[in-house]
Amino acid sequence: MKNLISMRDLSKEEILYLLKLASQIEKGEVNPDMQRRLAALLFFEPSTRTMFSFDTAMKRMNGNTIVMSGTKDTSAKKGESFADTLQTIAQYTDIIIMRSPIEGAARYASEVVGIPVVNAGDGANQHPTQALLDLYSIQKTQGTLENLKIGIAGDLRFGRTVHSLVQAMSLFGAKFKFFSPTFLSIPKNIKEFLHEKKIRFNEFDEDMDIKILSELDILYVTRIQKERFASPEDYEKVKGSYCLTKEMLSHVKPNLKVLHPLPRVDELSSDVDDTKYAYYFQQAQNGVYMRQAIITILLGGV
Ligand code: CP
């Protein structure tokens, strides 16, 4: 593993190795040392969890970070190309962790620089480090990744976390129930991928049905992302389409966990937070262990 750009680049064995390393790091059995190592955090879209958890991950391993939040105050404003910016930053640092609104930006960066690149989200395409921490959370709460029933609700069309998670869980025989307004349904290329892998899925375009919720092991709720819509009118048509409430969890399996990549807006009621099913803040915490593991593998820290 030289870069981490897409879940489709990872084998099941590589994923299982990352999960094991994250667990060893969490338990203190492995303590990677990143002293004198520097990570560049290049975030051209806003972030709370991904940026701060990568920053935390690096610093917990005695490493350090430099941060570029957008292009303001950089020479990109003077017309410097993206390729020149990347090549310059690669002279100072050991790894580039990058978020961009442009699909394929991280792949492009990995072709331009000679140091590892991590995709921290590229447009509506992929968010592989989120998928890996999601898998870590699923394994921790369910004791297995194999043959689980997973409901995914929300913006399945533009949701990069969804695309990466579906591809990853397909390696473990998951069965999917997709809930979304028709406009935001799962993209054709992901459906083709699922057909190719013979993974079963059903799509529902109305609110989450309590009977279907009662079959699930994991319910992954996502935000309808206003920033991905080309027209405000299209967003207005689907905003507030659904909301998971505590009441809707009255007949779920005892092992069900509700995950959410966060941030949330109005799709996940705060009355779910106090139930035993809520796991989204622990999920965010798991992101630090998984991102420590990712940096460690890419920089050869164990
Ligand atoms: N889950 C996630 O990517 O959150 P941020 O946008 O806050 O990084």
Side-chain angles (χ1 to χ4, degrees):
M1 199 173 124
K2 288 187 178 148
N3 304 291
L4 177 53
I5 307 298
S6 166
M7 279 317 292
R8 291 185 78 158
D9 300 338
L10 291 182
S11 66
K12 187 170 177 176
E13 289 68 34
E14 286 171 318
I15 292 172
L16 290 173
Y17 186 70
L18 277 161
L19 293 170
K20 187 173 167 206
L21 183 57
S23 172
Q24 289 170 323
I25 290 170
E26 180 178 359
K27 290 175 185 152
E29 294 167 4
V30 172
N31 294 293
D33 189 7
M34 294 294 148
Q35 213 169 13
R36 291 191 292 279
R37 298 297 196 122
L38 189 58
L41 306 180
L42 311 184
F43 278 69
F44 304 107
E45 267 190 348
S47 170
T48 297
R49 278 144 293 274
T50 312
M51 191 172 82
F52 288 113
S53 64
F54 265 117
D55 200 24
T56 304
M58 200 61 190
K59 287 170 180 167
R60 280 201 186 156
M61 299 188 290
N62 307 315
N64 218 328
T65 58
I66 55 170
V67 179
M68 183 171 170
S69 293
T71 53
K72 187 175 166 285
D73 301 329
T74 74
S75 287
K77 289 286 173 211
K78 301 175 206 160
E80 185 166 43
S81 71
F82 187 44
D84 284 2
T85 303
L86 289 167
Q87 291 200 69
T88 303
I89 288 166
Q91 307 308 312
Y92 309 144
T93 57
D94 300 294
I95 184 167
I96 288 177
I97 295 156
M98 193 178 92
R99 169 170 291 187
S100 169
I102 300 166
E103 293 184 25
R107 177 85 64 199
Y108 173 76
S110 73
E111 289 162 4
V112 167
V113 300
I115 61 172
V117 174
V118 177
N119 182 3
D122 62 328
N125 185 31
Q126 283 278 319
H127 196 347
T129 70
Q130 177 71 45
L132 286 164
L133 79 88
D134 294 340
L135 262 63
Y136 187 58
S137 301
I138 294 170
Q139 190 183 52
K140 267 175 84 171
T141 59
Q142 305 299 317
T144 181
L145 289 173
E146 299 288 345
N147 303 314
L148 297 172
K149 277 199 179 166
I150 301 184
I152 307 186
D155 181 355
L156 314 185
R157 177 177 178 177
F158 301 120
R160 58 193 175 199
T161 66
V162 173
H163 306 158
S164 294
L165 179 66
V166 168
Q167 287 170 351
M169 285 307 295
S170 297
L171 296 170
F172 299 90
K175 294 180 189 66
F176 295 105
K177 308 282 181 192
F178 295 131
F179 305 94
S180 72
T182 307
F183 185 75
L184 295 176
S185 63
I186 197 93
K188 192 164 164 261
N189 70 314
I190 305 279
K191 281 195 234 182
E192 283 169 359
F193 171 87
L194 292 172
H195 287 307
E196 200 181 291
K197 302 281 173 202
K198 299 190 173 26
I199 299 293
R200 282 165 50 191
F201 65 92
N202 305 98
E203 293 181 272
F204 305 92
D205 64 1
E206 60 277 349
D207 206 357
M208 290 169 278
D209 184 287
I210 291 191
K211 189 168 175 302
I212 298 166
L213 293 186
S214 73
E215 299 169 11
L216 302 176
D217 301 300
I218 293 290
L219 177 56
Y220 194 89
V221 184
T222 65
R223 173 177 67 98
I224 294 182
Q225 305 169 95
K226 189 176 181 182
E227 67 273 24
R228 300 269 177 250
F229 285 75
S231 105
E233 292 77 32
D234 284 342
Y235 174 70
E236 288 300 319
K237 280 183 210 155
V238 293
K239 80 167 190 195
S241 298
Y242 58 94
C243 177
L244 182 72
T245 62
K246 181 178 177 176
E247 196 187 348
M248 292 161 76
L249 298 172
S250 53
H251 292 92
V252 297
K253 287 166 68 174
N255 63 306
L256 176 92
K257 288 294 174 226
V258 177
L259 302 185
H260 192 311
L262 301 176
R264 68 174 150 184
V265 185
D266 54 9
E267 68 284 355
L268 175 56
S269 168
S270 57
D271 71 4
V272 176
D273 296 4
D274 297 329
T275 70
K276 65 176 185 174
Y277 309 110
Y279 194 74
Y280 23 94
F281 291 112
Q282 296 97 317
Q283 180 187 359
Q285 183 187 46
N286 289 335
V288 175
Y289 309 122
M290 178 48 74
R291 287 170 173 136
Q292 282 182 267
I294 292 164
I295 293 167
T296 299
I297 300 271
L298 290 171
L299 292 184
V302 284

